[in-house]
Amino acid sequence: MIITKEQFKKDFEKKMLKLYAQEVEDSTIHMQYFTLGYLMKEYISEGWAKTTNRYTKYGEKQVYYFSIEFLLGRLLASNLLNLGIRTTVNDALKDMGLSLKEIEDVEVDPGLGNGGLGRLAACFMDSMASSGIPGNGNGIRYKYGLFQQKIVDGYQVELPENWLRDDNVWEIRKSDKAVKVRFYGDAWMKPKEDGSLEAIHTDYQEVLAVPYDTALVGYENKTVNTLRLWNAEVPNYSDDIQGELNFNKVLLNKREIESISEVLYPDDSHQEGRVLRLKQEYFFVSAGLQSIVSQHKESGHPLSELHNYVAVHINDTHPAVAIPELMRILMDEEGMEWAEAWHITQNTMSYTNHTIMSEALEKWQIDLFKELLPRIYLIIGEIDRRFREILSTKFGEDQNQIEKMAIISGGYVRMAHLCIHGAHSVNGVAKLHTELLKSQELRDFYMLYPYKFNNKTNGITHRRWLMLANPELSDLLDETIGNSWRRNPQDLKLFKKYKRDPDIQKKVEQIKQNNKEKLAQYIKEKNNIVVDPNSIFDVHVKRLHAYKRQLLNALHILHQYHEIIENPNFDMLPKTYIFAAKAAPGYYFAKEIIKFINALADQINNDPRVKDRIKIVFLENYSVTLAEKIIPASEVSEQISTTTKEASGTSNMKFMMNGAVTLATLDGANVEILEEVGHPNIVIFGMTEKEVLNYYRNGGYNAREIYESDARVKRVLDSLTNGFIKGIQVEGQDIFKNLIDYNDEFFVLKDFDSYVAAQKKMEDLYRDRFTWNKMSIENISSSGVFSSDVTVMQYASGIWDTRIIER
């Protein structure tokens, strides 16, 4: 987009007057934000309309990315960058006595995701638009995002995250595109005179799904795609509802319906929460598919060719009901026979698996599913019956094998099985993950459908995680290798030739130091902890889960603490350990680890014997915006999940792109990071895939033996229960029991020795500034392959069969 500074000033002043009847010089910072936001939406709207019309006019095949999470982050800075006018706007606002940075900081960061899944979806949306791929997002417009985390006396406390308390400038409500979604009731198949069957669904609860559309702006191109989020509302009631009793029923029904789009991931530890979770999944899937089919029919193309114009992607199993729902629409509403509807459905749907752990594969109790979605259950029942016939031809009378693979079995509807059978493509999200799916968790399905399985390693958008988050480094890259990397991130490899250049090394080091000083100031303001920006910034930020092993990190810190106490001359470089993580509200062990980390921080940070050689910071309420502050300042990237447990990871890519050195197990995409940067530029520790799988298959692991034989481990674990760490009597006992009595499911103690050695190696490397800076440059220059631009291009050609229109 081309706009002059003077034109922008006029537009801004005019918009301010229109919105607030206020002169710019008399405006508040919130007025300035909303004025700029609504003005940007106007600038975007023309390109948005032209993109939509172009897709329709030329019959482009469009991708619809179905995800229960979209963790977008703030959009103002991103939209200004992608429009190519950020510098112009910054200069114009400065002329007017305003600060773009201060205005950008007003924007709420919507927490419409829990972590990697939602952030990946957001990166894909950005990359599809920037790569010229006709792509749309489809999800839920939660009233409250993932909870706002507060740390009170070391404990996680959850508060509502009301991101919609003020206007959302980016969305447009499309009431005319609303559809109705049905729950409950009775469903059966009624014979017709011609011998065919007709689906009957009566006594259902009807919910109005109203779409809110947000523009997704491509980077300096003419593509503006759409993210459609659905809001659950009450349909208009007929005029014959009278009386207090009926009115009260209406109010109860209203509350029940509106709760569908109220909160992300309701607590599913009880039946009511599980029902609501499944309601959410069907709600946005049904609404999205109804909208897609309606739009396809309006285009004039026959429904029999839907799969030639539409690709629906199932991001993890939450949208798995898309498969039977499309069958329902095609058969019940459009009159298709089963065979044709199934052919279209299979060729429309594709599925990404995001987990290796079989216990995390989604499944629903039959009774719950059947009561809430009776018609969908009938369709899944028929899919299962026909799938069992396929299995019978392969496995004969082996009923155990058939039950093992069936979609409905053991009292449950198994959503991953539904996705694999009902989609034409099944992909993992890292090479190791995909190979483990094929050889372990989904081996039976791989043997049945080898042609469906493929790998698409996750990626991140370098526009947000480098260009926006680290402008100084971006400018240095422009100065040294030109700016082609901004459009073609794999050109970052050109920076590799500067890895031994002392001047460039010094500049890279200074940029990192500047970012560390900014983060240190933020930590002082938020946590009232003074950290040394000259210390090593060792960072572990991600969802709090036992397999991600924040506990291993904390136990190592406790080990170092003991070493300092016992030997005041203990040789170590000053280190600042930075944590940020949310634990699921019902995940009590994860919340106990948070308490342990905070208790450890409180004790170490205030112990004069430590002499500030260790500082621990737990930053509350981890979000995209907070990550943008932390990642550019990070020097050591902790990626220490138990090998075979992390599907991919994306924070590992963000850190390396900003010059951090990865401390990693050979898990998820860490394996591919190693392949790209080489052994000298990453520090690897821990058990191999084969060693881990051997323990899981054959047993033989004994955590107590390690506790009794390794004096360091014994000292650390005893500190959890003997009062050495203050304020964790209950938490310390539970952590001890988890590691010893329950035999350390994620091999924290097995990898402890290797981790201690890896931390020492990382410290030794850091002492050699030439070597460390060379490693940092190697990581930056090797990160381009992990751009989500690269990933979505692979999806477009290998799965979705979509044309790349412009780039």
Side-chain angles (χ1 to χ4, degrees), residues 709-756:
S709 63
D710 189 326
R712 299 166 305 173
V713 171
K714 189 174 192 309
R715 180 178 64 182
V716 164
L717 294 193
D718 286 348
S719 300
L720 300 175
T721 59
N722 63 11
F724 179 78
I725 303 296
K726 305 298 184 290
I728 60 160
Q729 289 79 8
V730 172
E731 293 80 16
Q733 291 283 353
D734 286 348
I735 293 170
F736 185 92
K737 287 178 183 177
N738 182 277
L739 295 174
I740 302 301
D741 296 347
Y742 302 138
N743 204 35
D744 184 18
E745 179 184 1
F746 297 111
F747 306 113
V748 170
L749 302 186
K750 179 68 177 175
D751 278 348
F752 182 81
D753 179 64
S754 179
Y755 183 64
V756 171

Side-chain angles (χ1 to χ4, degrees), residues 17 65 86 136 143 152 315 337 392 489 553 626 647-648 659 754:
L17 284 170
Y65 198 82
R86 196 157 190 264
N136 309 269
K143 181 178 179 181
V152 179
N315 188 34
E337 296 295 327
S392 294
N553 189 347
L626 181 53
S648 171
S754 179

